[in-house]
């Protein structure tokens, strides 16, 4: 395709060969008033290329799929963020963790984290996908929180960990945590925070066999020293393919556990609390929307 190079005498001479525009623009070779005409032709040439450019596949929304291993690394993938969140790493004698996003398509994200932690009895990390859209609303303003989470875990040796949603409420938007609501999909040799333990050292649920979102749960309640913690654990087995309305757990707590609907949902995360062992958690599809 011909493109004017508006410089020099030769270019000016060529300009006349393209004198197909209204006569007013067809000027003598040495008349410099042809320059606006060349500029118009140049612009038209670019415009004619535009449909071609638009027809090419549009570049994927750029999401960082590289591995991140830093203690507080975050990767933005709107409407989500991947947070490494290795908050308890100093309690380990050794270990490390990495995570990376593998796919983002609309509201559905896929990601993977691999970790190995040795020593210390506390949680080392909560690498998670955080929802950034729709939070800081009062519970009374939320009608539903549809979610899906399909995952699998491979591990070697004994693993102490959970796979869980972790949600926080506060008295104000962005305020200090008042309630933490955990929905565990798996309990690998770990246990929920509980105010009450049996003589055998087992946490005692405050409510049992609760049906929410197509599964049956036991509810544990206690304090982590900073805020109330409500933990819903499946009554048996693990839930590797979860799909339902997460707001059902809030509705239960509002109705039965005195959580105020004027509380603000300030954090909505889903990931794995890793304490010890070696594992790779692969999330093939995760989505959460607040309506
Ligand atoms: C990304 O996710 C979309 C929607 O789930 C799916 O159609 C697509 O095949 C995925 N791409 C890869 C590379 O996994
Ligand atoms: C996790 O995977 C990354 C990339 O393959 C690797 O470099 C890293 O050593 C792994 N970390 C752990 C703790 O397995």
């Amino acid at each position: 395709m011909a493109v004017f190079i508006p410089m020099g005498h030769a270019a000016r001479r060529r300009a006349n060969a393209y004198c197909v525009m209204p006569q007013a623009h067809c000027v003598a070779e040495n008349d410099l008033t042809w320059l606006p005409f060349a500029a118009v032709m140049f612009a038209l040439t670019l415009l004619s290329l535009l449909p071609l450019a638009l027809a090419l596949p549009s570049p994927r929304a750029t999401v960082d799929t590289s591995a991140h291993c830093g203690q507080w690394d975050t990767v933005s993938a709107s409407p989500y963020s991947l947070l490494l969140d290795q908050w308890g790493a100093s309690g380990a004698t050794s270990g490390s963790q990495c995570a990376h996003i593998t796919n983002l398509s609309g509201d559905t994200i896929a990601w993977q984290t691999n970790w190995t932690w040795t020593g210390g009895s506390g949680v080392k990390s909560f690498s998670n996908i955080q929802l950034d859209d729709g939070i800081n609303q009062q519970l009374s303003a939320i009608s539903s929180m549809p979610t899906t989470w399909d995952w699998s875990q491979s591990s070697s040796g004994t693993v102490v960990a959970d796979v869980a949603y972790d949600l926080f409420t506060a008295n104000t938007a962005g305020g200090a945590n008042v309630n933490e609501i955990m929905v565990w999909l798996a309990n690998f040799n770990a246990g929920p925070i509980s105010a009450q333990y049996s003589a055998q050292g087992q946490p005692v649920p405050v409510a049992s066999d609760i049906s929410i979102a197509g599964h049956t749960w036991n509810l544990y309640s206690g304090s982590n020293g900073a805020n109330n913690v409500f933990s819903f654990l499946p009554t048996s087995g693990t839930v590797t393919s979860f799909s339902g309305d997460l707001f059902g757990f809030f509705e239960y707590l509002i109705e039965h556990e005195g959580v105020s609907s004027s509380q603000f949902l300030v954090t909505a995360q889903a990931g794995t609390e890793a304490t010890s062992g070696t594992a790779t958690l692969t999330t093939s599809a995760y989505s959460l929307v607040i309506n």
Side-chain angles (χ1 to χ4, degrees), residues 123 162-168 179-187 190-195 197 203-210 212 216-224 227-235 246 249-250 252-253 257 259 273:
V123 171
D162 63 41
V163 176
Y165 291 89
D166 199 13
L167 309 142
F168 290 88
N179 298 296
E180 177 175 4
I181 296 97
M182 297 194 77
V183 178
W184 293 36
L185 301 186
N187 176 11
I193 284 175
S194 180
Y197 288 86
V204 176
V206 295
S208 302
D209 298 326
I210 308 162
I212 302 173
T216 309
W217 316 83
N218 288 339
L219 173 62
Y220 301 84
S221 174
S223 170
N224 64 5
N227 52 256
N228 299 327
V229 183
F230 296 104
S231 305
F232 292 88
L233 270 72
T235 50
L246 214 48
F249 296 93
F250 287 100
Y252 181 89
L253 295 174
E257 294 294 333
V259 170
E273 283 188 308

Side-chain angles (χ1 to χ4, degrees), residues 122-197:
V123 171
K124 309 306 182 301
S125 62
F126 181 59
S127 294
N128 69 83
I129 292 293
Q130 171 176 280
L131 177 65
D132 297 322
D133 280 8
I135 60 153
N136 283 323
Q137 295 193 59
Q138 273 183 306
L139 298 180
S140 57
I142 297 174
S143 56
S144 68
M145 296 174 62
T147 183
T148 59
W149 192 356
D150 298 327
W151 61 274
S152 62
Q153 180 162 288
S154 63
S155 59
S156 59
T158 300
V159 160
V160 180
D162 63 41
V163 176
Y165 291 89
D166 199 13
L167 309 142
F168 290 88
T169 73
N171 293 332
T172 57
N177 295 332
V178 172
N179 298 296
E180 177 175 4
I181 296 97
M182 297 194 77
V183 178
W184 293 36
L185 301 186
N187 176 11
F188 299 113
N189 307 301
I193 284 175
S194 180
Q196 231 195 315
Y197 288 86

Side-chain angles (χ1 to χ4, degrees), residues 60 102-106 108-110 284-285:
R60 269 188 61 79
T102 53
N103 193 3
L104 174 66
S105 177
T108 302
I109 192 165
S284 57

